């Protein structure tokens, strides 16, 4: 895993974003707001440490897709890292699970048949429409999927806000509804990547 700034203007607030598998920070680039944005990706391992964020008055975390479980695993054992707000988008603390995540058979098929062609199909499901051809390091991304599977269920963490897209073709919405039962869930008519429905970072925490 690595952290990298995708926006850094010495703002008063920062948002740490745990992105999705094989989709870079570009999916967030249209979002506006005064916050500095630190992006985390590549969950083959979770050994990265945050830069010094002590100068910020508030630091929030936004986790999307496999970023949700990866964040929760990463947070375990880092009690000194405190986020004032947490939002989860179309992900689960049980990322590979028949009733609360991606069904194991679907996940296994995705991993075992991963190719440039299947990746384009994956992107179509993520965004709800065909996407321009993107390069992919197939062995590296397959290894990342294997790491996600082997890591298993993440520790329970309560999020202040949970978003579930009714048109999610990656995580079945019914599974996510079970996973987040009793929490502050908002349904949105959108695909797995719902960020085109938002213009401001702040909206994702409302």
């Amino acid at each position: 895993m690595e952290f990298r700034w995708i926006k850094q203007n010495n703002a008063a607030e920062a948002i740490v974003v745990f992105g999705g598998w094989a989709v870079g920070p570009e999916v967030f680039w249209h979002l506006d707001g005064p916050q500095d944005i630190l992006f985390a990706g590549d969950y083959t391992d979770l050994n990265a440490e945050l830069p010094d964020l002590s100068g910020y008055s508030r630091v929030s975390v936004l986790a999307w897709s496999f970023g949700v479980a990866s964040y929760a695993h990463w947070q375990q054992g880092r009690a000194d890292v405190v986020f004032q707000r947490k939002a989860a988008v179309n992900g689960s603390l049980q990322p590979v699970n028949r009733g609360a995540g991606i069904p194991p058979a679907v996940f296994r098929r995705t991993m075992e048949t991963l190719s440039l062609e299947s990746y384009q199909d994956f992107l179509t499901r993520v965004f709800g429409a065909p996407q321009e051809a993107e390069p992919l390091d197939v062995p590296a991304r397959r290894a990342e999927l294997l790491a996600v599977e082997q890591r298993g269920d993440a520790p329970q963490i309560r999020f202040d806000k949970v978003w579930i897209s009714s048109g999610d073709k990656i995580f079945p919405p019914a599974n996510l509804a079970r996973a987040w039962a009793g929490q502050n869930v908002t349904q949105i008519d959108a695909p797995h990547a719902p960020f085109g429905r938002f213009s401001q970072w702040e909206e994702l925490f409302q």
Side-chain angles (χ1 to χ4, degrees):
M1 191 172 81
E2 64 172 6
F3 290 106
R4 56 179 165 133
W5 290 103
I6 58 174
K7 179 185 172 192
Q8 188 177 25
N9 294 325
N10 296 317
E13 297 185 22
I15 299 174
V16 179
V17 179
F18 284 74
W21 172 80
V23 178
E26 295 84 0
V27 69
F28 303 106
W29 277 354
H30 69 286
L31 294 174
D32 200 6
Q35 305 91 347
D36 285 349
I37 307 298
L38 184 66
F39 181 79
D42 189 351
Y43 306 125
T44 308
D45 68 69
L46 302 177
N47 298 326
E49 300 299 332
L50 288 173
D52 181 9
L53 302 178
S54 60
Y56 290 98
S57 61
R58 181 167 65 176
V59 181
S60 307
V61 65
L62 176 75
W64 173 48
S65 192
F66 280 156
V68 173
S70 298
Y71 157 67
H73 279 293
W74 174 87
Q75 178 77 72
Q76 188 177 36
R78 291 180 171 86
D80 58 321
V81 178
V82 177
F83 296 103
Q84 280 75 40
R85 302 183 299 177
K86 304 183 188 76
V89 182
N90 292 331
S92 173
L93 296 171
Q94 300 167 277
V96 186
N97 184 280
R98 186 183 304 275
I102 295 176
V106 174
F107 180 90
R108 179 58 59 169
R109 185 167 62 250
T110 300
M111 183 168 60
E112 292 177 348
T113 64
L114 185 62
S115 66
L116 289 177
E117 288 184 353
S118 71
Y119 176 59
Q120 287 303 129
D121 293 339
F122 166 79
L123 290 178
T124 297
R125 294 196 302 276
V126 167
F127 291 96
Q131 303 294 300
E132 291 186 11
E134 295 285 346
L136 184 74
D137 185 337
V138 172
R141 297 289 68 80
R142 183 180 288 126
E144 185 181 359
L145 286 176
L146 181 61
V148 169
E149 181 185 46
Q150 292 179 337
R151 209 171 283 134
D153 294 351
Q156 288 297 313
I157 285 183
R158 191 165 187 88
F159 287 80
D160 304 295
K161 182 74 180 183
V162 177
W163 295 92
I164 298 176
S165 289
S166 59
D168 196 331
K169 303 297 185 187
I170 304 299
F171 281 84
N175 284 9
L176 292 183
R178 278 188 286 271
W180 298 110
Q183 299 209 32
N184 182 22
V185 172
T186 297
Q187 300 273 351
I188 182 172
D189 180 14
H192 182 64
F195 306 106
R197 304 290 195 275
F198 302 89
S199 60
Q200 300 283 325
W201 285 100
E202 190 64 26
E203 297 172 61
L204 287 153
F205 295 93
Q206 301 301 312

